[in-house]
């Protein structure tokens, strides 16, 4: 009898052990199924993430499409003066491609090309220091047309709308307090004629002299204080200057106009000052974003 009882316990134990083994095996198989499903979910999430990144890249590429072309470079201390009457309306080649970003330069081909966007880039030996991008009010016109004789009389055009669509300035950029482009806001103005004075590029955030004023007090790129700004005729060689900084120095009360560099006429109240950089004009039909500070620029920039 005792032997039967012992055998019964042994048999039951074996059966229980076998049942437990089956249960553990089933649990293992279930865990494997769960792991496979979790992996499938992870793969799906990864695919969604990749799709989102691809879509983001597509959108960024859409925003950055197009090519920028260098139309002009102004070095205010290279021995050539880019005043109001030189190059802007005639669009003749100035300088060479080899020194396009170190000396004064104008590309006749780019000057006659239609453009919808303009970037003004302050750079140090070809490395972007600061940039503003604007969209022109009137699409498809060239710089030759915008600065040409037909737009010089009466001149005084506000040529962009809504201010800069991009403004990027390096953290270590210097001389920003009175920079003619980056210290003031607003839209670009071209051919700002006043009295016998003219400024080719300024901003609405700076002082814009009245049409009959002789205050010599609008400052920007491509200036002359003794010129017929409606006919592009220099009246003397004393007062052209590449770049004048933002300041309030109305003539005749003030006779201490601060200009960048040595590229200016011998007029007594044009005061040579430090060069903040070269200033380049780029245009594009489609690109509405420019390289950020720290990037190297060239004759063409594909975005």
């Amino acid at each position: 009898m005792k032997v039967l009882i012992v055998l019964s316990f042994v048999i039951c134990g074996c059966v229980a052990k076998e049942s437990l083994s089956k249960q553990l095996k089933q649990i293992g198989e279930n865990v494997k199924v769960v792991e496979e499903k979790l992996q499938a979910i992870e793969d799906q999430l990864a695919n969604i993430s990749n799709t989102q990144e691809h879509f983001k890249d597509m959108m960024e590429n859409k925003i950055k499409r197009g090519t920028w072309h260098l139309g002009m470079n102004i070095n205010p201390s290279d021995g050539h003066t880019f005043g109001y009457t030189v190059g802007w309306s005639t669009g003749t080649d100035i300088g060479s491609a080899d020194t396009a970003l170190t000396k004064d330069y104008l590309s006749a081909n780019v000057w006659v090309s239609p453009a919808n966007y303009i970037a003004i880039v302050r750079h140090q030996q070809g490395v972007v220091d600061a940039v503003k991008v604007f969209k022109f009010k009137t699409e498809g016109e060239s710089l030759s047309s915008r600065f040409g004789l037909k737009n010089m009389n009466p001149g005084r055009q506000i040529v962009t709308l809504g201010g800069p669509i991009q403004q990027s300035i390096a953290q270590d950029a210097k001389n920003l307090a009175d920079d003619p482009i980056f210290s003031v806001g607003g839209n670009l103005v071209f051919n700002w004629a006043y009295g016998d004075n003219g400024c080719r590029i300024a901003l609405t955030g700076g002082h814009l002299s009245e049409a009959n004023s002789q205050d010599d007090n609008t400052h920007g790129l491509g200036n002359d204080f003794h010129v017929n700004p409606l006919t592009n005729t220099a009246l003397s060689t004393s007062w052209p200057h590449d770049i004048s900084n933002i300041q309030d120095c109305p003539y005749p009360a003030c006779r201490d106009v601060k200009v960048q560099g040595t590229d200016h006429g011998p007029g007594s109240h044009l005061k040579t000052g430090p060069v903040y950089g070269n200033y380049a004009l780029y245009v594009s039909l489609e690109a509405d974003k420019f390289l950020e500070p720290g990037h190297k620029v060239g004759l063409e920039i594909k975005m």
Side-chain angles (χ1 to χ4, degrees):
M1 184 67 179
K2 290 181 179 179
V3 173
L4 290 173
I5 294 171
V6 170
L7 286 173
S8 297
F9 276 113
V10 170
I11 292 169
C12 290
C14 290
V15 171
K17 184 176 180 181
E18 183 179 355
S19 176
L20 179 60
S21 177
K22 288 181 178 179
Q23 289 177 2
L24 291 174
K25 182 179 180 181
Q26 185 63 47
I27 290 171
E29 291 175 351
N30 291 341
V31 167
K32 185 177 180 180
V33 171
V34 170
E35 288 177 345
E36 289 174 351
K37 289 184 177 180
L38 287 174
Q39 185 61 51
I41 292 172
E42 288 180 4
D43 291 342
Q44 289 177 352
L45 290 174
N47 288 335
I48 291 172
S49 177
N50 290 337
T51 301
Q52 289 175 334
E53 288 298 317
H54 180 64
F55 181 73
K56 181 180 177 182
D57 289 342
M58 287 177 62
M59 292 304 295
E60 287 182 351
N61 288 334
K62 184 178 179 181
I63 291 170
K64 297 177 183 178
R65 67 194 182 279
T67 302
W68 290 100
H69 303 274
L70 177 64
M72 175 183 282
N73 187 71
I74 303 174
N75 178 336
S77 260
D78 71 337
H80 174 270
T81 302
F82 246 140
Y84 191 87
T85 63
V86 177
W88 299 88
S89 69
T90 59
T92 52
D93 281 318
I94 293 173
S96 70
D98 292 339
T99 59
L101 291 162
T102 57
K103 295 183 178 181
D104 285 358
Y105 173 78
L106 190 151
S107 168
N109 287 335
V110 175
W111 216 248
V112 297
S113 300
N116 295 331
Y117 299 91
I118 182 169
I120 301 182
V121 184
R122 195 180 85 173
H123 63 92
Q124 311 296 334
Q125 298 296 314
V127 177
V128 178
D129 192 35
V131 57
K132 280 185 177 181
V133 176
F134 299 85
K135 189 177 190 300
F136 285 121
K137 278 183 182 179
T138 305
E139 294 187 345
E141 283 192 10
S142 67
L143 293 179
S144 177
S145 173
R146 298 178 195 276
F147 289 113
L149 287 173
K150 73 168 188 170
N151 281 316
M152 289 172 56
N153 189 357
R156 303 171 63 85
Q157 297 102 355
I158 299 174
V159 297
T160 63
L161 185 66
I165 57 178
Q166 177 188 347
Q167 176 171 312
S168 304
I169 299 174
Q171 290 185 350
D172 59 351
K174 299 177 175 61
N175 299 311
L176 293 173
D178 60 351
D179 185 284
I181 304 299
F182 299 99
S183 71
V184 290
N187 285 293
L188 292 179
V189 301
F190 285 0
N191 311 314
W192 201 258
Y194 62 107
D196 62 0
N197 309 276
C199 175
R200 285 294 185 174
I201 299 180
L203 281 98
T204 56
H207 175 75
L208 298 177
S209 303
E210 297 294 332
N212 60 354
S213 175
Q214 297 283 11
D215 65 357
D216 296 1
N217 204 28
T218 294
H219 304 288
L221 310 181
N223 311 277
D224 201 320
F225 288 162
H226 197 201
V227 65
N228 183 335
L230 307 182
T231 63
N232 200 52
T233 305
L235 301 178
S236 75
T237 59
S238 295
W239 302 102
H241 48 291
D242 283 11
I243 302 171
S244 59
N245 296 327
I246 298 300
Q247 59 204 288
D248 185 21
C249 184
Y251 179 83
C254 176
R255 303 192 182 200
D256 189 25
V257 177
K258 297 176 178 62
V259 302
Q260 289 189 34
T262 56
D263 291 347
H264 58 78
S268 58
H269 63 266
L270 296 177
K271 307 300 182 183
T272 298
V275 173
Y276 296 175
N278 279 217
Y279 291 75
L281 305 184
Y282 283 87
V283 291
S284 178
L285 265 178
E286 295 181 321
D288 53 7
K289 183 173 176 60
F290 200 82
L291 297 176
E292 292 292 321
H295 285 84
K296 190 88 172 175
V297 292
L299 295 176
E300 287 188 351
I301 300 169
K302 293 183 179 181
M303 304 299 292

